[in-house]
Each structure stands twice: as structure tokens, then as C-alpha cells.
Amino acid sequence: MDGRNIIGYEYVPAGITAFKAVNPLSESLLEGDFYPAALADVDRAVLKADEAFRLYRKMDKSRKAAFLRSIGEEIMALGPELIERACAESGLPEARILGERGRTTAQLNLFADLVEEGSWVEAVIDSALPERQPVPRPDIRRMLVPLGPVVVFGASNFPLAFSVAGGDTVSALAAGCPVIVKAHPAHPGTSALVGQAIVKAAKDHGLPEGVFSLLFDQGYEIGAGLVKHPKVTAVAFTGSFKGGMALIRLAGEREIPIPVFAEMGSINPVLLLPQALEKRAEEMAVQYAGSISMGAGQFCTNPGLLLALKGTGLDRFKEKLIETASGLTASTMLTSGIFKHFSAGTEKVLKEQGVQLLVQAGDADAGKANQARTVIAQVQAQHFLNNPALKEEVFGPWSLLVVADTEAELLQVLKAAGGQLTLSVMAEASELESYPDLLDQALLQAGRVLMNGVPTGVEVCAAMQHGGPFPASSDSRFTSVGSMAIKRFVRPLSWQNWPVLLLPDELKIGNPLGIWRIVNNQMTK
């Protein structure tokens, strides 16, 4: 494991000041020195990426797909060393890290398949109509093309699946964009190991140097420098609203603004409809106690808001929720900073007018650091509507139950919650037609709407939408999970009356790549 920055194929000379990773379970320092990059390293990495882009954007799709698959193979070849390091840096259990490694390699294979098949470029051909009256039509052909160098910020809560070789990186590489990753300082060793795997895969497939770089930093200077660099064309970020908005402002202040695809968290409301509560209150309470506390609540899809009408079914739900949550054990949070923010956030909300604590899970393990106890509170709808502070995300095992007196009041609460990554509806089939306004509103303000399920757990597939109306994400038209994440890093380009030999293969006569295309308004191969 080498703690120096990677620029292209080179480990750059180390700086004077190093930092170490911290085990959140014990607050002890872990083996290995990691060196923050300098602004000169930013410039070198971006310029190398820009040079690599000239070749990489035109690379044969089979070769690119093979490169993506090789990254997954190299990650697997790291074996126990990667798993042990990721566990030590995150405090997450081995089973979680093993699952995340599986998701990471599955994402790489998913995008390899997408690239190899090729139809994702959305090729469209409108043939020339020289005899058309009153004006002839020229030959016009269009497809999606890569943007250029992309900056990816590693996420704290997914040291593998949303980090160095995570969904942002692989979708950008699949699109034909070189990537510069700004490693998250909470898991530098994990980042270094995965960066090593990507470099080996790139070398093995003869990719141009600069298609990948990895930079370390404990603060904000390097991230800001990357976003402001004139050769960078897009940014991908998963994290807090504050962090995402800071990057968006930086990108907007450039001479040429660029898109920042920021997934900025969500409180993920859950509508508990009356008949469902009457029929299965206890079952739902157990289900949601598990979802709220899963992974110490450190998921952007954590159900932080439960919405319901008052009634006997809700009373039973609360009783069971309190009983179940009381038996939960405390969990280690990813960093001491996250734990402090969670503790301060819950303490602040519990002091707000009308907020009543329902349950705080049992005592934390005194022998472990950063132990978060699940906290669930309750507030009446009018207090929620009158207090913007209650709509803010508390990152961790937290949820707020909002109780409404009427359906109209419940609808007001839902609207006030704002844009969301997910919105869940717990309902019986027989009652769905009775709440058309609530259901319609749910479709308007979330990227993914679930029926009778928990939002935690995001399937990586073509149909997944992980992104929602602001402030959940910066652009609700795109997803950061699933194969359509590739659309963030491309733009449409039309060729008009170009010689056939100079056209990309995707647009040539005879369809040499055998991909699906729209030719004169007909989908065809």
C-alpha cells in the first residue's frame, strides 16, 4: 500500500506532512502514511487526463469493456488485505464490506456489458432527402459523446461502492471520460489499494497514461482546485447538502461553468396509511426499526421521516416501534466527526418546540468509540410545518414521526418535506384509491417511490433512479446508481453532411457495430 498520490502511472514524490487513517472503533491510528496533494499535482493530473481523453474517447468499445472488467478482477485479487483495511478504516463489519466489494465489481461488470453492447450512445440517423420540397433535408446523424476529464469525490459512507472505483468512477470511465478521484480522508488506505488496482488494469490494457489519477487531501484545497481547473468538464459528488452546494458554487463561478452531479442526502418520508396500520402495525414497526438503524443509519436513503394520521393503528405502531428499537444495540459510526454531528443534530432537534422523544436505544459499548444509539422522536404536524429545522437531515440512526389530524394536514407535511431521493408508501391495496392527492404528490417530489417496502437498499440496475428533486440532488434528471448513470458524463453531438469514412462507427452506413439505432424514425439494427 503506497500512500503517495497517483498521477497517471506515476506515484508522485511525497510531501513533508503526512496523515494517518483512524480506526473509528478505537480512535487508534492505523498503519501507513498518506500525503496530501499540492495544487501543482492537481494541474498535472488534470492535464494528463486531458491528454488521455484525446485517445480514450475513441477507444474500441470491447477494449474499454475489458478494462472495466479487469478493474473488478484486480480488486478481487487484493483479497483479505482490502477487506481488513476497509473494515479498520470504516468500523463497518466484514459482511458489509464483502457485500460492498461485490456491489463494486458488479457495477464494473454492468457497465462493461453496457459499453460492449453499445446501444447506450443513442445513435440517430436522419438520411438526406434531396428531393424534399420546399427545402431539401441534409444528412444528419447524432449520438452521445463523452465530455472530458471528470472529478469524482469519494463518499464517506461507502468506502468501495461510492469511492475510488465506485459508481461515479466506473460510469465516467464507461462514457469515455478520464477520471481524477479525490480520495475521502476517512479511508485513505482503502483508496490507495483500489487506486493501485485501477492503475494495474489500465497498464495491462495499454490505456493512455492519465485515464485515472488519485489525489489525497484532508481539507478542501485540492477538491476546490480540481473543480476550478479549466480542463475539468464535470464533477460527481455524494455527501452532505453543505458540501454539494459548495462545489456547485465553485463550478458556477468558473469562466466556463460545468455540471456538478451532487447527491446531497434526503430524509426519505414514509407514508403510513390507516388501513395498513390497522392491519399490520406491529409488522411495519419491526420493519422500520431495522431500516432506521441499519448501518448506524449512515445511508442517504435512511427513513428519517415517518408520516401518519392519528388513530389506534398508529398507537400500536408506536408501541411496537419503541419496544423493538429499545432492544437495538449501538453501532459504530464511520468517523468521530460524523458521530459528533449526529449527537449534536439529535440533541438540537429534541430541544425544538413540540418534539417528544419516543425511544433511544440501549447503552453504547463503553469499550468502543463513536457508538450511536438509535433515536426516534415524535412531533405534531403543525409544529413540523412551522419549524424548518425539523426538515433537515440528521445523518445517522434517527427518525421523526409526524402525526397529522387530517388528510389535508398530512398532505401539507408531505409537500413541506421537499425534494427526496425516495418516498415510501405503506398501504393496503383497498385504500390506495382513497388517497389520490397523497400518491400524486409522492410522484412529484421523489426520484424513487416505493410501495410497501423500506428505502434502504439500492438495487444497481438499468431501471434504478437514485437522484431526486432538489435538494436531494442537484439535477433530478440523472441517477448516480445503475447503468443510466453514464448519461451524466456525455453530451449529444450531430454530424451534418459528413463523409461516411469520417463518421464514428456507431453512425456509419451498414451499422458495423450491430447496435440498436433509430434510422429515419425506425428502431433498427
Side-chain angles (χ1 to χ4, degrees):
M1 180 177 60
D2 194 322
R4 294 175 295 171
N5 297 280
I6 303 172
I7 298 179
Y9 291 153
E10 179 186 358
Y11 282 89
V12 302
I16 298 172
T17 305
F19 69 96
K20 289 183 176 291
V22 178
N23 185 324
L25 276 167
S26 61
E27 288 291 299
S28 59
L29 297 178
L30 295 169
E31 179 186 355
D33 292 329
F34 302 91
Y35 295 88
L39 287 176
D41 298 325
V42 169
D43 192 54
R44 285 185 60 203
V46 177
L47 291 179
K48 276 191 178 292
D50 187 55
E51 292 172 11
F53 177 59
R54 310 287 172 173
L55 297 174
Y56 187 60
R57 68 190 181 93
K58 298 179 180 180
M59 186 168 290
D60 174 77
K61 62 190 179 87
S62 297
R63 187 175 168 195
K64 193 185 302 178
F67 163 54
L68 297 178
R69 290 195 181 95
S70 287
I71 295 173
E73 292 165 3
E74 293 299 334
I75 288 172
M76 293 301 297
L78 291 168
E81 181 183 9
L82 176 64
I83 303 303
E84 291 167 6
R85 185 72 190 198
C87 289
E89 291 184 333
S90 66
L92 295 170
E94 181 178 326
R96 158 69 191 274
I97 294 297
L98 285 169
E100 199 177 317
R101 184 183 64 177
R103 172 174 168 173
T104 304
T105 56
Q107 286 175 158
L108 286 157
N109 290 328
L110 173 74
F111 281 97
D113 291 343
L114 185 76
V115 167
E116 200 162 48
E117 192 279 327
S119 299
W120 72 271
V121 299
E122 297 180 359
V124 180
I125 298 172
D126 286 313
S127 303
L129 297 175
E131 307 302 324
R132 190 183 70 174
Q133 295 297 326
V135 180
R137 184 176 79 185
D139 183 274
I140 302 177
R141 303 175 184 226
R142 188 189 72 187
M143 61 179 277
L144 299 174
V145 298
L147 290 176
V150 169
V151 169
V152 170
F153 285 78
S156 64
N157 58 338
F158 282 90
L160 295 176
F162 263 97
S163 191
V164 176
D168 292 333
T169 297
V170 65
S171 54
L173 290 173
C177 299
V179 172
I180 305 104
V181 175
K182 194 272 189 186
H184 197 283
H187 36 78
T190 306
S191 299
L193 289 168
V194 176
Q196 166 191 316
I198 296 176
V199 169
K200 186 175 186 308
K203 284 182 175 180
D204 287 349
H205 289 276
L207 267 61
E209 185 180 6
V211 76
F212 170 79
S213 291
L214 174 67
L215 302 180
F216 294 105
D217 189 27
Q218 280 189 296
Y220 305 105
E221 183 183 36
I222 297 306
L226 286 166
V227 175
K228 292 189 290 186
H229 197 288
K231 294 292 186 181
V232 168
T233 61
V235 175
F237 170 82
T238 297
S240 69
F241 177 76
K242 180 181 177 181
M245 291 304 297
L247 297 181
I248 291 167
R249 283 191 291 271
L250 285 173
E253 292 167 358
R254 292 168 39 128
E255 182 178 353
I256 300 176
I258 57 172
V260 175
F261 299 104
E263 189 265 272
M264 298 182 289
S266 180
I267 53 176
N268 307 298
V270 180
L271 281 170
L272 305 166
L273 294 186
Q275 287 185 28
L277 282 170
E278 287 296 331
K279 186 172 182 179
R280 45 194 170 96
E282 290 79 10
E283 175 189 332
M284 292 193 300
V286 172
Q287 189 177 15
Y288 269 90
S291 184
I292 294 163
S293 60
M294 181 185 294
Q298 298 170 117
F299 296 103
C300 49
T301 53
N302 184 65
L305 199 63
L306 306 175
L307 311 178
L309 291 167
K310 64 180 180 180
T312 57
L314 179 60
D315 293 339
R316 288 169 37 227
F317 174 84
K318 286 196 296 182
E319 184 180 349
K320 188 64 176 180
L321 186 65
I322 292 168
E323 176 192 331
T324 306
S326 296
L328 296 171
T329 57
S331 299
T332 305
M333 300 203 82
L334 293 158
T335 69
S336 60
I338 290 174
F339 174 68
K340 288 173 185 175
H341 278 104
F342 170 72
S343 300
T346 54
E347 184 179 348
K348 177 179 179 293
V349 175
L350 290 172
K351 290 179 180 177
E352 296 290 341
Q353 184 177 7
V355 176
Q356 171 193 355
L357 176 66
L358 289 181
V359 61
Q360 185 171 26
D363 293 336
D365 187 335
K368 297 178 181 177
N370 304 310
Q371 297 288 289
R373 302 164 62 189
T374 299
V375 182
I376 303 172
Q378 174 183 311
V379 71
Q380 294 299 308
Q382 284 306 311
H383 286 296
F384 181 86
L385 292 169
N386 293 333
N387 189 348
L390 300 182
K391 305 172 187 68
E392 296 175 6
E393 180 186 23
V394 177
F395 188 69
W398 156 269
S399 195
L400 179 65
L401 172 63
V402 182
V403 181
D405 292 329
T406 65
E407 181 188 342
E409 195 175 53
L410 192 62
L411 181 59
Q412 281 184 288
V413 170
L414 182 60
K415 289 179 178 179
Q420 305 291 333
L421 293 174
T422 76
L423 202 151
S424 305
V425 180
M426 304 298 285
E428 294 296 297
S430 57
E431 66 180 325
L432 289 173
E433 292 184 0
S434 301
Y435 298 95
D437 292 340
L438 282 171
L439 297 180
D440 192 51
Q441 184 60 33
L443 299 175
L444 289 174
Q445 71 185 77
R448 176 165 58 110
V449 183
L450 298 87
M451 184 66 66
N452 291 323
V454 296
T456 41
V458 180
E459 184 67 30
V460 181
C461 62
M464 177 51 64
Q465 175 60 27
H466 191 65
F470 188 87
S473 61
S474 56
D475 194 329
S476 63
R477 296 172 299 171
F478 297 96
T479 179
S480 61
V481 177
S483 54
M484 289 304 96
I486 199 172
K487 299 293 181 68
R488 297 174 295 172
F489 307 118
V490 293
R491 64 181 180 90
L493 175 62
S494 289
W495 286 255
Q496 183 167 324
N497 287 338
W498 271 58
V500 171
L501 289 177
L502 296 181
L503 288 168
D505 287 346
E506 290 88 346
L507 298 177
K508 285 181 178 175
I509 294 170
N511 195 9
L513 298 182
I515 63 174
W516 285 102
R517 311 188 299 183
I518 297 177
V519 179
N520 299 322
N521 297 320
Q522 297 293 318
M523 180 69 77
T524 179
K525 272 195 174 184

